Amino acid sequence: MLCTRLTNAHILTMDPDRPVARELGVWHGLIVGLDDEVAALPAREVIDLQGATVLPGFIDSHVHLAWTGLRASTPSVAPCERVEDVLAVVAEAVSRTSAPGAWVDIAGYDQRALGRHLTAAELDRVSQGRKVFLMHDSGHACVVNSAVLELLPAGVPQQEGFLAESAMTAARRLRLPYSQEELADAIEYAARGCLAEGITACAEAGIGGGLLGNSPVEAGAYQLLREQGRLPLRVQLMAAGDTLRPRDAHRDDGIPRALDLGLRTGFGDDWLSLGALKIYTDGGMMARTAALTSPYEGMAHTGQLQDDPDRLADLIVDGHLAGWQLAVHAIGDRAADLALDALERAQSLRPRPDARHRIEHAGLIRPDQLPRFASLDVSAVIQPNFLRYFGDDYAAVMGEERAAWMYRGRGFLDHGVTLVGSSDRPVTDGSPLRAIQFMVERASTSGLLIGPDEGITVDEALRAYTVAGAHACRWDDTAGTLTPGRRADLVVLGDDPRRVAPSRIGDIEVVATYVAGRDTKETGKP
């Protein structure tokens, strides 16, 4: 007997050998058949979907769940466009923090809304002896007050309280990590938000490290959720590159650096596993720290790398030699050059044809770099909603020629590069449907067309959030298509994205999200 049979549905399987179906059978969390294979079988539950569209559950291949959950409960200056308004929010947060010398966290900081960066001196006026930490929305910078600056090690670069990249990491290391219980609550909150958008699996893009790691024992928070039955979707964890340490290993293993016990990509199960090694090479466009080969438009700088380029390249090579899949953060084209050069060197030292290395963001990729992605079989894990919401600003700081190279679609596909969709939540909106709409239209919320020649078809965009996501996370034998034998992870939509006008795709209702064959809205958990 089937556990569940979905009937009267418009099922888009994303399997080219069997693209459409009307019935789907589930047994113990797996798809066991389609149409005539299951139509006559008894089932404990038969659900008439009344013609609704069913797709494989969306896979968000680059998220920050803990950061998303923590940010939701943190005072925010997000809508403020005047320094006085920002300081008023900080003052209110400080007034609710009773202990002198305590840390006060503020979210939603973005200098673009103010026209300049806030300063430590301005924060000092309202901080009342507390340590104030304003997190930049990009995750690559912050502004702190003098109470924090006084604690920083000598030589940490800062500009009147503005700390970027490794300087921000130095400030974060001054404080105690979050507890595993705090992190677990934040992760669960964010994961349920993903479910509401049709996401059934995601990749947490960097735990335990200095830049965005929330604790050296952060993985334990995910294990806690798993043990308590509170992990509502499937999660793959990327270990931050700076968690690797030199380890003694047999010379035949060829492992220069590793996690303790030699753990690497693939450890875990269908619900919680260890994915790629996350390595940061540069910053972000929002903070103007993405590493470019030519200066930002109207500015005299080209962003920055996270470290000495040789040290970054060696870390990439060592991660490959130790058997990891690599997820290399490279937003600017200069950072992409570094990443591609290092991956090429790594593959020449120890060829691994199915390594499935990824470049995260690939935010600005020159035409000459596209064939290199293809020749190295490197996936491009992009965030289309960056341009949907920030595209006007990004296009202005890149200039007319380079604006067409941002977060490409058609260019990657035409070169045979696996194009993977993701959100980088909470940096911006995490909705896959709104991202898919942008990938087709290439229009920002203001209507500005950004690289319109990079537009792709609806089918290709859907593939980026299903089949390609499964490939990038090494789940392609269990997820990405609605094929018998694979996980019964699926999303029910109020309309077919292929049949509505592209401008309506982002507004399609997510009717239900099923994980392991269970409707998560009804049960509250998978």
Side-chain angles (χ1 to χ4, degrees), residues 178-443:
Y178 290 95
S179 73
Q180 289 192 349
E181 286 282 0
E182 287 177 292
L183 292 175
D185 289 344
I187 292 161
E188 183 181 19
Y189 174 89
R192 295 201 179 280
C194 291
L195 288 176
E197 295 171 341
I199 296 163
T200 57
C202 63
E204 170 70 55
I207 63 166
L211 191 61
L212 280 175
N214 299 283
S215 165
V217 292
E218 192 169 356
Y222 286 89
Q223 285 188 279
L224 184 63
L225 285 171
R226 180 82 171 95
E227 291 162 358
Q228 295 176 347
R230 295 168 51 204
L231 188 64
L233 46 64
R234 305 180 196 274
V235 179
Q236 188 178 86
L237 304 176
M238 298 185 199
D242 51 357
T243 61
L244 293 193
R245 297 287 182 270
R247 299 294 178 200
D248 291 332
H250 193 281
R251 65 168 179 254
D252 290 348
D253 293 335
I255 299 175
R257 284 185 263 188
L259 292 183
D260 287 343
L261 305 179
L263 296 178
R264 58 176 173 80
T265 304
F267 184 80
D269 60 23
D270 280 351
W271 284 96
L272 182 62
S273 60
L274 193 56
L277 183 71
K278 173 75 176 294
I279 298 174
Y280 291 92
T281 64
D282 69 343
M285 286 187 190
M286 191 188 302
R288 314 309 195 220
T289 53
L292 313 179
T293 51
S294 299
Y296 287 86
E297 193 77 8
M299 303 177 196
H301 71 92
T302 58
Q304 65 188 81
L305 296 171
Q306 291 283 352
D307 198 351
D308 174 81
D310 289 338
R311 283 197 291 268
L312 290 171
D314 287 346
L315 178 57
I316 291 170
V317 171
D318 285 356
H320 172 90
L321 295 177
W324 286 89
Q325 178 190 18
L326 301 177
V328 184
H329 169 115
I331 292 184
D333 59 332
R334 176 158 57 104
D337 279 335
L338 185 154
L340 293 168
D341 288 346
L343 291 171
E344 185 174 39
R345 174 156 67 96
Q347 288 284 19
S348 69
L349 292 172
R350 180 176 294 173
R352 289 172 50 205
D354 194 34
R356 306 216 192 165
H357 296 324
R358 315 157 33 147
I359 289 188
E360 309 299 297
H361 308 297
L364 185 74
I365 300 300
R366 302 186 310 270
D368 64 286
Q369 292 173 316
L370 293 170
R372 298 198 67 196
F373 272 78
S375 65
L376 291 167
D377 197 21
V378 172
S379 297
V381 184
I382 65 166
Q383 297 74 41
N385 275 337
F386 278 11
L387 292 189
R388 178 177 170 86
Y389 294 97
F390 311 139
D392 294 26
D393 172 65
Y394 286 10
V397 297
M398 288 301 110
E400 184 176 356
E401 181 183 26
R402 291 185 297 181
W405 303 346
M406 293 191 298
Y407 297 93
R408 291 176 179 268
R410 177 56 53 203
F412 284 126
L413 292 180
D414 284 353
H415 282 80
V417 177
T418 300
L419 179 68
V420 184
S422 70
S423 68
D424 203 17
R425 72 176 69 225
V427 177
T428 192
D429 179 7
S431 165
L433 286 171
R434 285 190 280 274
I436 287 165
Q437 178 178 324
F438 177 84
M439 295 172 84
V440 176
E441 292 186 315
R442 299 288 300 189

Side-chain angles (χ1 to χ4, degrees), residues 122-195:
E122 288 168 327
L123 289 177
D124 290 344
R125 290 176 7 214
V126 295
S127 57
Q128 299 181 33
R130 276 64 167 180
K131 303 180 187 74
V132 178
F133 186 103
L134 268 73
M135 182 71 163
H136 195 278
D137 267 347
S138 68
H140 287 268
C142 65
V143 176
V144 299
N145 66 342
S146 297
V148 177
L149 293 178
E150 291 166 0
L151 300 175
L152 289 173
V156 172
Q158 60 93 12
Q159 300 169 355
E160 297 185 283
F162 174 71
L163 307 172
E165 309 303 343
S166 59
M168 183 189 74
T169 299
R172 287 171 65 92
R173 285 177 172 157
L174 295 172
R175 32 196 322 192
L176 284 173
Y178 290 95
S179 73
Q180 289 192 349
E181 286 282 0
E182 287 177 292
L183 292 175
D185 289 344
I187 292 161
E188 183 181 19
Y189 174 89
R192 295 201 179 280
C194 291
L195 288 176

